[in-house]
Amino acid sequence: MSNDPKWSYWMLAATAAALLAITNGGRLSLGLFVSPLNTSTGLGITTISLVMAVAQLSWGAVQPLAGAVADRYGAGRALAAGVICMALGAALTPWAHTGLTLSITVGVLLAGGAGASSLAVLLGAAVSRVPEQYRGMASGAINAGGSFGQFIFAPLMQAFIAMIGWMGAMWAMALIVITALPLARVLRTPAPDTSPPAAGTTVDRGMKAALKDAFADRSYLLLHAGFFTCGFHIAFLVTHLPGEVGLCGLPPSVASWSLGIIGLSNIAGSLYAGWCVQRYRSKHVLFWMYGSRAALVAVYLMAPKTELTFYLFAVGLGFTWLATVPPTASLVGKLHGSRYLATLFGLTIFTHQIGGFLGAWLGGIAISAHGDFQWMWYADMALAALAAMANLPIREARVVRHVPAT
């Protein structure tokens, strides 16, 4: 074992990335179950979409609560409870045949469990232990783990659905998720605040004061506004991309491989975002990410709907898919320190998932009312452009380059 402290930082990040790969990979493959669930239960696409929207909201709502538990008592309990709830939700879903019971199993247990063992707690637990000059790359590496999970889970779940049916695929997901339980122990101890105090603060005045300060900060609220759009965009695509592929007359495998490619591309995007955070202002990184999404959707709408189009679209969108997380988490830390990072970043994720709720639900309403997703694509493009502009006024100091001592 190396005595280099950087080794321990990267081992910590790798553990968090592995756990996120499992929980995020399972959650982001739920869109593949929309059609099988609709066929099996006969509930209709609007009801199934509402269930998926509840899942989006639940994943976000749990994160500030789990973050608060982690900030006060350490991350281990929150992570372990999340893993157990997610596995339980997946295991019970085959016995759920109504909108209410599916909302409980998929929407609350599975998605809520994934939220408790997801970004807010993992970034708060791992990144707070890492010196400031390494945080951008550490958060990028952790986020890349979630993207790798999506790359693995999407085609894997599609293969399980084809071979053993959607019920068997859900039970397989439950078994895979429970294997993440030992990883929670590595991140179980509370993390010290290793960052300098945020501007204007000298001592820890408690969580209530931190929340009051954050919501009085215009920059923090603008960050929420941009992240809302990110949630709308991701939830719409992860829930309804299989439906869009079907409308274009292409096989389901195109959807699963597109979701997998998005995850693979986002590994590179997350690592690149982490690198950028250490060199450029995070608000400028977010501006270009959101702006690129608006441009990519416009190109997609004009392109012929072939397999190659979907795969190229997946590569482009995947590069910024969840790569918005490192610069967003970095900005929260810069504005308000790392002591309550899990809580404050968890709240931005909740806003992200309010957008996610609307993206998943309105997508179902659009396809039921109009037979396609055209107006959702227009809304997605407009919101991405607004999100890009919302990040520019955020108060952020210039990046200070850290030069290694000689």
Side-chain angles (χ1 to χ4, degrees):
M1 179 71 70
S2 171
N3 291 322
D4 186 349
K6 288 190 289 187
W7 173 261
S8 64
Y9 303 153
W10 296 122
M11 287 299 295
L12 198 66
T15 301
L19 200 156
L20 186 60
I22 294 172
T23 60
N24 215 44
R27 182 184 73 89
L28 290 175
S29 66
L30 286 177
L32 300 172
F33 291 86
V34 170
S35 180
L37 275 169
N38 185 37
T39 301
S40 175
T41 63
L43 291 172
I45 196 67
T46 302
T47 299
I48 302 296
S49 295
L50 181 58
V51 169
M52 295 302 172
V54 170
Q56 294 289 338
L57 192 61
S58 176
W59 185 78
V62 164
Q63 294 210 41
L65 300 177
V69 170
D71 282 335
R72 186 173 294 274
Y73 302 109
R77 293 175 182 175
L79 293 171
V83 167
I84 292 169
C85 284
M86 184 178 179
L88 185 63
L92 292 177
T93 295
W95 285 286
H97 302 291
T98 67
L100 177 60
T101 54
L102 280 173
S103 293
I104 293 171
T105 58
V106 174
V108 177
L109 287 174
L110 194 161
S117 49
S118 193
L119 289 165
V121 176
L122 289 170
L123 286 177
V127 176
S128 294
R129 293 170 167 81
V130 176
E132 188 175 2
Q133 63 266 35
Y134 300 122
R135 286 181 183 171
M137 285 304 297
S139 60
I142 294 167
N143 201 51
S147 301
F148 181 73
Q150 181 179 345
F151 171 67
I152 295 296
F153 265 81
L156 182 63
M157 288 298 110
Q158 185 64 59
F160 280 144
I161 290 170
M163 290 188 297
I164 57 178
W166 74 267
M167 293 183 180
M170 275 289 178
W171 289 323
M173 184 190 296
L175 290 174
I176 295 170
V177 167
I178 206 67
T179 64
L181 197 56
L183 298 174
R185 289 185 58 81
V186 180
L187 300 164
R188 67 187 181 276
T189 54
D193 188 352
T194 58
S195 67
T201 64
T202 56
V203 295
D204 177 9
R205 297 185 293 123
M207 186 180 295
K208 184 176 180 180
L211 291 171
K212 182 178 179 180
D213 290 345
F215 281 102
D217 182 0
R218 177 171 173 265
S219 294
Y220 183 68
L221 297 178
L222 287 170
L223 197 59
H224 276 259
F227 222 32
F228 169 90
T229 291
C230 184
F232 181 95
H233 168 89
I234 288 175
F236 166 56
L237 285 172
V238 81
T239 304
H240 296 293
L241 185 62
E244 175 78 359
V245 168
L247 287 174
C248 296
L250 299 171
S253 60
V254 174
S256 63
W257 278 112
S258 294
L259 290 171
I261 290 169
I262 286 172
L264 183 62
S265 180
N266 195 232
I267 295 173
S270 294
L271 294 174
Y272 181 67
W275 181 86
C276 286
V277 163
Q278 295 183 179
R279 289 161 176 80
Y280 309 107
R281 293 189 193 185
S282 294
K283 67 177 186 177
H284 293 154
V285 176
L286 289 169
F287 169 82
W288 288 109
M289 284 184 175
Y290 291 129
S292 71
R293 290 182 182 183
L296 282 166
V297 171
V299 171
Y300 166 77
L301 291 175
M302 293 184 290
K305 303 306 182 285
T306 64
E307 291 187 21
L308 180 61
T309 294
F310 278 101
Y311 295 150
L312 291 176
F313 185 52
V315 170
L317 286 180
F319 197 73
T320 68
W321 184 250
L322 284 173
T324 54
V325 169
T328 302
S330 173
L331 273 172
V332 173
K334 286 179 180 180
L335 292 170
H336 298 285
S338 67
R339 174 62 183 89
Y340 297 105
L341 178 64
T343 305
L344 295 177
F345 181 56
L347 286 166
T348 67
I349 292 179
F350 181 46
T351 299
H352 183 281
Q353 293 311 112
I354 293 174
F357 176 89
L358 293 172
W361 183 40
L362 294 177
I365 292 175
I367 188 67
S368 297
H370 304 291
D372 60 36
F373 298 106
Q374 196 75 7
W375 284 104
M376 287 296 293
W377 288 116
Y378 294 149
D380 188 30
M381 190 165 45
L383 285 172
L386 289 172
M389 300 306 298
N391 278 275
L392 290 179
I394 289 175
R395 169 177 52 87
E396 181 184 9
R398 293 184 182 275
V399 175
V400 177
R401 303 289 180 89
H402 292 270
V403 180
T406 57

